Amino acid sequence: MTSLRARRFGLLACVLVLVVPFALARPAAAQDPARGAAHYQLCAACHGDQGAGDATRQAPAIAGLPAWYLDAQLHKFRAGQRGYASGDDAALQMRPMAGALRTDADIASVAAYVSSLPAAAPAATLAGDPTRGQALYAPCSACHGADGRGNEALKGPQLAGQADWYLLAQLVKFRSGQRGAHKDDATGAQMRAMASVLPDEQAMLDVVAYVRSLAPAEEKR
């Protein structure tokens, strides 16, 4: 009986030796930027080799964004929580790209790689009144931060340093329901309610102008 117990204990120990290191290794592999670099080649066609974005393709700058936010948005695209509305060409284009990332590990690795790229704020393309925008931005600071650097705990992404045309486009989409209207997109619904507070396009332009002013001087062009 003692010999049988010893053999069983020995077998269990062998299993643990094999399984535990593998289980511990999986999260590291899931966030492997080198793996993400290979997957990112598909994204580079629109977002650029360095993730700087391309306005002609409606592709925003994504380099340096927090991995948690990139991961969340790729999941939303893949699940259809973004890119569901007809007329939203940029998001509809993005859905099959996210769908090409078959596993959560693929998504995590791309997010880690993109987050590791150096951020560089795109040049200004829109005109607005940042002074008026500062007052309008006050409610936004609760989630996005007074400095526009975001808040992971509240799922508020970084805004400072993003292309002004993209920020405006997203506000328009939230207001129209092209984004944030999916029943499973809780954070999108929150943002949609906030965007609806802005009375018109000029107010949106002013907020965008203020957000742009939050980017550090070394990031501006």
Side-chain angles (χ1 to χ4, degrees), residues 18-39:
L18 291 172
V19 171
V20 171
F22 175 72
L24 292 175
R26 279 185 295 176
Q31 298 180 11
D32 180 7
R35 178 182 178 183
H39 285 301

PDB file of all heavy atoms in Angstrom, residues 18-39:
ATOM      1  N   LEU A  18       5.719  19.130 -15.133  1.00  0.00           N
ATOM      2  CA  LEU A  18       5.490  19.389 -16.556  1.00  0.00           C
ATOM      3  C   LEU A  18       4.466  20.481 -16.785  1.00  0.00           C
ATOM      4  O   LEU A  18       4.609  21.322 -17.661  1.00  0.00           O
ATOM      5  CB  LEU A  18       5.010  18.105 -17.254  1.00  0.00           C
ATOM      6  CG  LEU A  18       6.043  16.987 -17.388  1.00  0.00           C
ATOM      7  CD1 LEU A  18       5.373  15.721 -17.901  1.00  0.00           C
ATOM      8  CD2 LEU A  18       7.159  17.408 -18.337  1.00  0.00           C
ATOM      9  N   VAL A  19       3.390  20.471 -15.982  1.00  0.00           N
ATOM     10  CA  VAL A  19       2.252  21.361 -16.235  1.00  0.00           C
ATOM     11  C   VAL A  19       2.477  22.765 -15.703  1.00  0.00           C
ATOM     12  O   VAL A  19       2.196  23.751 -16.373  1.00  0.00           O
ATOM     13  CB  VAL A  19       0.956  20.778 -15.623  1.00  0.00           C
ATOM     14  CG1 VAL A  19      -0.177  21.806 -15.686  1.00  0.00           C
ATOM     15  CG2 VAL A  19       0.564  19.513 -16.363  1.00  0.00           C
ATOM     16  N   VAL A  20       3.010  22.898 -14.478  1.00  0.00           N
ATOM     17  CA  VAL A  20       3.119  24.221 -13.856  1.00  0.00           C
ATOM     18  C   VAL A  20       3.972  25.185 -14.663  1.00  0.00           C
ATOM     19  O   VAL A  20       3.565  26.308 -14.938  1.00  0.00           O
ATOM     20  CB  VAL A  20       3.630  24.100 -12.403  1.00  0.00           C
ATOM     21  CG1 VAL A  20       3.956  25.468 -11.836  1.00  0.00           C
ATOM     22  CG2 VAL A  20       2.575  23.410 -11.544  1.00  0.00           C
ATOM     23  N   PRO A  21       5.181  24.777 -15.110  1.00  0.00           N
ATOM     24  CA  PRO A  21       5.964  25.725 -15.913  1.00  0.00           C
ATOM     25  C   PRO A  21       5.245  26.132 -17.188  1.00  0.00           C
ATOM     26  O   PRO A  21       5.320  27.275 -17.609  1.00  0.00           O
ATOM     27  CB  PRO A  21       7.250  24.932 -16.236  1.00  0.00           C
ATOM     28  CG  PRO A  21       7.346  23.905 -15.163  1.00  0.00           C
ATOM     29  CD  PRO A  21       5.930  23.534 -14.863  1.00  0.00           C
ATOM     30  N   PHE A  22       4.514  25.193 -17.805  1.00  0.00           N
ATOM     31  CA  PHE A  22       3.781  25.522 -19.036  1.00  0.00           C
ATOM     32  C   PHE A  22       2.684  26.538 -18.753  1.00  0.00           C
ATOM     33  O   PHE A  22       2.499  27.510 -19.475  1.00  0.00           O
ATOM     34  CB  PHE A  22       3.174  24.241 -19.623  1.00  0.00           C
ATOM     35  CG  PHE A  22       2.307  24.499 -20.820  1.00  0.00           C
ATOM     36  CD1 PHE A  22       2.874  24.859 -22.041  1.00  0.00           C
ATOM     37  CD2 PHE A  22       0.926  24.397 -20.738  1.00  0.00           C
ATOM     38  CE1 PHE A  22       2.079  25.103 -23.140  1.00  0.00           C
ATOM     39  CE2 PHE A  22       0.133  24.644 -21.832  1.00  0.00           C
ATOM     40  CZ  PHE A  22       0.711  24.991 -23.037  1.00  0.00           C
ATOM     41  N   ALA A  23       1.957  26.324 -17.648  1.00  0.00           N
ATOM     42  CA  ALA A  23       0.872  27.246 -17.299  1.00  0.00           C
ATOM     43  C   ALA A  23       1.414  28.623 -16.984  1.00  0.00           C
ATOM     44  O   ALA A  23       0.815  29.638 -17.339  1.00  0.00           O
ATOM     45  CB  ALA A  23       0.103  26.694 -16.083  1.00  0.00           C
ATOM     46  N   LEU A  24       2.563  28.675 -16.310  1.00  0.00           N
ATOM     47  CA  LEU A  24       3.149  29.972 -15.981  1.00  0.00           C
ATOM     48  C   LEU A  24       3.705  30.668 -17.208  1.00  0.00           C
ATOM     49  O   LEU A  24       3.757  31.885 -17.268  1.00  0.00           O
ATOM     50  CB  LEU A  24       4.274  29.778 -14.955  1.00  0.00           C
ATOM     51  CG  LEU A  24       3.840  29.327 -13.554  1.00  0.00           C
ATOM     52  CD1 LEU A  24       5.065  29.068 -12.697  1.00  0.00           C
ATOM     53  CD2 LEU A  24       2.923  30.349 -12.906  1.00  0.00           C
ATOM     54  N   ALA A  25       4.096  29.908 -18.212  1.00  0.00           N
ATOM     55  CA  ALA A  25       4.710  30.498 -19.397  1.00  0.00           C
ATOM     56  C   ALA A  25       3.692  31.112 -20.331  1.00  0.00           C
ATOM     57  O   ALA A  25       3.997  32.010 -21.090  1.00  0.00           O
ATOM     58  CB  ALA A  25       5.506  29.431 -20.153  1.00  0.00           C
ATOM     59  N   ARG A  26       2.428  30.656 -20.252  1.00  0.00           N
ATOM     60  CA  ARG A  26       1.439  31.120 -21.222  1.00  0.00           C
ATOM     61  C   ARG A  26       1.172  32.620 -21.184  1.00  0.00           C
ATOM     62  O   ARG A  26       1.128  33.264 -22.215  1.00  0.00           O
ATOM     63  CB  ARG A  26       0.131  30.335 -21.062  1.00  0.00           C
ATOM     64  CG  ARG A  26       0.183  28.990 -21.748  1.00  0.00           C
ATOM     65  CD  ARG A  26      -1.148  28.306 -21.682  1.00  0.00           C
ATOM     66  NE  ARG A  26      -1.481  27.987 -20.296  1.00  0.00           N
ATOM     67  CZ  ARG A  26      -2.646  27.445 -19.936  1.00  0.00           C
ATOM     68  NH1 ARG A  26      -3.570  27.196 -20.832  1.00  0.00           N
ATOM     69  NH2 ARG A  26      -2.899  27.160 -18.681  1.00  0.00           N
ATOM     70  N   PRO A  27       0.996  33.241 -19.996  1.00  0.00           N
ATOM     71  CA  PRO A  27       0.776  34.694 -19.998  1.00  0.00           C
ATOM     72  C   PRO A  27       1.928  35.459 -20.631  1.00  0.00           C
ATOM     73  O   PRO A  27       1.726  36.428 -21.330  1.00  0.00           O
ATOM     74  CB  PRO A  27       0.631  35.011 -18.501  1.00  0.00           C
ATOM     75  CG  PRO A  27       0.185  33.736 -17.875  1.00  0.00           C
ATOM     76  CD  PRO A  27       0.884  32.660 -18.656  1.00  0.00           C
ATOM     77  N   ALA A  28       3.166  35.020 -20.398  1.00  0.00           N
ATOM     78  CA  ALA A  28       4.316  35.706 -20.980  1.00  0.00           C
ATOM     79  C   ALA A  28       4.274  35.617 -22.493  1.00  0.00           C
ATOM     80  O   ALA A  28       4.531  36.577 -23.199  1.00  0.00           O
ATOM     81  CB  ALA A  28       5.608  35.093 -20.441  1.00  0.00           C
ATOM     82  N   ALA A  29       3.925  34.421 -23.005  1.00  0.00           N
ATOM     83  CA  ALA A  29       3.857  34.250 -24.453  1.00  0.00           C
ATOM     84  C   ALA A  29       2.752  35.100 -25.044  1.00  0.00           C
ATOM     85  O   ALA A  29       2.871  35.636 -26.135  1.00  0.00           O
ATOM     86  CB  ALA A  29       3.636  32.775 -24.785  1.00  0.00           C
ATOM     87  N   ALA A  30       1.639  35.229 -24.285  1.00  0.00           N
ATOM     88  CA  ALA A  30       0.493  35.983 -24.781  1.00  0.00           C
ATOM     89  C   ALA A  30       0.822  37.458 -24.950  1.00  0.00           C
ATOM     90  O   ALA A  30       0.170  38.150 -25.708  1.00  0.00           O
ATOM     91  CB  ALA A  30      -0.691  35.825 -23.829  1.00  0.00           C
ATOM     92  N   GLN A  31       1.818  37.958 -24.230  1.00  0.00           N
ATOM     93  CA  GLN A  31       2.173  39.363 -24.306  1.00  0.00           C
ATOM     94  C   GLN A  31       3.570  39.551 -24.913  1.00  0.00           C
ATOM     95  O   GLN A  31       4.267  40.494 -24.592  1.00  0.00           O
ATOM     96  CB  GLN A  31       2.105  39.978 -22.904  1.00  0.00           C
ATOM     97  CG  GLN A  31       0.709  39.931 -22.307  1.00  0.00           C
ATOM     98  CD  GLN A  31       0.654  40.540 -20.924  1.00  0.00           C
ATOM     99  OE1 GLN A  31       1.591  41.181 -20.473  1.00  0.00           O
ATOM    100  NE2 GLN A  31      -0.447  40.349 -20.235  1.00  0.00           N
ATOM    101  N   ASP A  32       3.959  38.669 -25.781  1.00  0.00           N
ATOM    102  CA  ASP A  32       5.281  38.690 -26.381  1.00  0.00           C
ATOM    103  C   ASP A  32       5.327  39.674 -27.551  1.00  0.00           C
ATOM    104  O   ASP A  32       4.742  39.416 -28.601  1.00  0.00           O
ATOM    105  CB  ASP A  32       5.620  37.280 -26.859  1.00  0.00           C
ATOM    106  CG  ASP A  32       6.993  37.211 -27.512  1.00  0.00           C
ATOM    107  OD1 ASP A  32       7.716  38.222 -27.472  1.00  0.00           O
ATOM    108  OD2 ASP A  32       7.330  36.159 -28.058  1.00  0.00           O
ATOM    109  N   PRO A  33       6.006  40.828 -27.400  1.00  0.00           N
ATOM    110  CA  PRO A  33       6.053  41.815 -28.483  1.00  0.00           C
ATOM    111  C   PRO A  33       6.673  41.272 -29.766  1.00  0.00           C
ATOM    112  O   PRO A  33       6.297  41.684 -30.861  1.00  0.00           O
ATOM    113  CB  PRO A  33       6.902  42.947 -27.889  1.00  0.00           C
ATOM    114  CG  PRO A  33       6.736  42.813 -26.416  1.00  0.00           C
ATOM    115  CD  PRO A  33       6.658  41.336 -26.179  1.00  0.00           C
ATOM    116  N   ALA A  34       7.637  40.338 -29.634  1.00  0.00           N
ATOM    117  CA  ALA A  34       8.265  39.781 -30.842  1.00  0.00           C
ATOM    118  C   ALA A  34       7.242  39.014 -31.670  1.00  0.00           C
ATOM    119  O   ALA A  34       7.203  39.110 -32.901  1.00  0.00           O
ATOM    120  CB  ALA A  34       9.427  38.880 -30.448  1.00  0.00           C
ATOM    121  N   ARG A  35       6.411  38.269 -30.990  1.00  0.00           N
ATOM    122  CA  ARG A  35       5.324  37.563 -31.677  1.00  0.00           C
ATOM    123  C   ARG A  35       4.357  38.572 -32.282  1.00  0.00           C
ATOM    124  O   ARG A  35       3.867  38.409 -33.388  1.00  0.00           O
ATOM    125  CB  ARG A  35       4.607  36.663 -30.673  1.00  0.00           C
ATOM    126  CG  ARG A  35       3.421  35.901 -31.243  1.00  0.00           C
ATOM    127  CD  ARG A  35       2.766  35.091 -30.138  1.00  0.00           C
ATOM    128  NE  ARG A  35       1.591  34.376 -30.605  1.00  0.00           N
ATOM    129  CZ  ARG A  35       0.810  33.651 -29.829  1.00  0.00           C
ATOM    130  NH1 ARG A  35       1.090  33.543 -28.535  1.00  0.00           N
ATOM    131  NH2 ARG A  35      -0.243  33.031 -30.314  1.00  0.00           N
ATOM    132  N   GLY A  36       4.108  39.640 -31.531  1.00  0.00           N
ATOM    133  CA  GLY A  36       3.204  40.679 -32.017  1.00  0.00           C
ATOM    134  C   GLY A  36       3.726  41.376 -33.251  1.00  0.00           C
ATOM    135  O   GLY A  36       2.941  41.789 -34.112  1.00  0.00           O
ATOM    136  N   ALA A  37       5.040  41.520 -33.357  1.00  0.00           N
ATOM    137  CA  ALA A  37       5.634  42.178 -34.521  1.00  0.00           C
ATOM    138  C   ALA A  37       5.292  41.431 -35.795  1.00  0.00           C
ATOM    139  O   ALA A  37       5.030  42.044 -36.846  1.00  0.00           O
ATOM    140  CB  ALA A  37       7.147  42.275 -34.355  1.00  0.00           C
ATOM    141  N   ALA A  38       5.278  40.118 -35.739  1.00  0.00           N
ATOM    142  CA  ALA A  38       4.932  39.313 -36.922  1.00  0.00           C
ATOM    143  C   ALA A  38       3.466  39.507 -37.291  1.00  0.00           C
ATOM    144  O   ALA A  38       3.116  39.703 -38.459  1.00  0.00           O
ATOM    145  CB  ALA A  38       5.225  37.843 -36.646  1.00  0.00           C
ATOM    146  N   HIS A  39       2.596  39.477 -36.285  1.00  0.00           N
ATOM    147  CA  HIS A  39       1.164  39.681 -36.541  1.00  0.00           C
ATOM    148  C   HIS A  39       0.878  41.106 -37.029  1.00  0.00           C
ATOM    149  O   HIS A  39      -0.068  41.330 -37.790  1.00  0.00           O
ATOM    150  CB  HIS A  39       0.358  39.411 -35.265  1.00  0.00           C
ATOM    151  CG  HIS A  39       0.207  37.969 -34.925  1.00  0.00           C
ATOM    152  ND1 HIS A  39      -0.384  37.058 -35.768  1.00  0.00           N
ATOM    153  CD2 HIS A  39       0.581  37.269 -33.820  1.00  0.00           C
ATOM    154  CE1 HIS A  39      -0.386  35.862 -35.206  1.00  0.00           C
ATOM    155  NE2 HIS A  39       0.193  35.961 -34.030  1.00  0.00           N
TER     156      HIS A  39
END
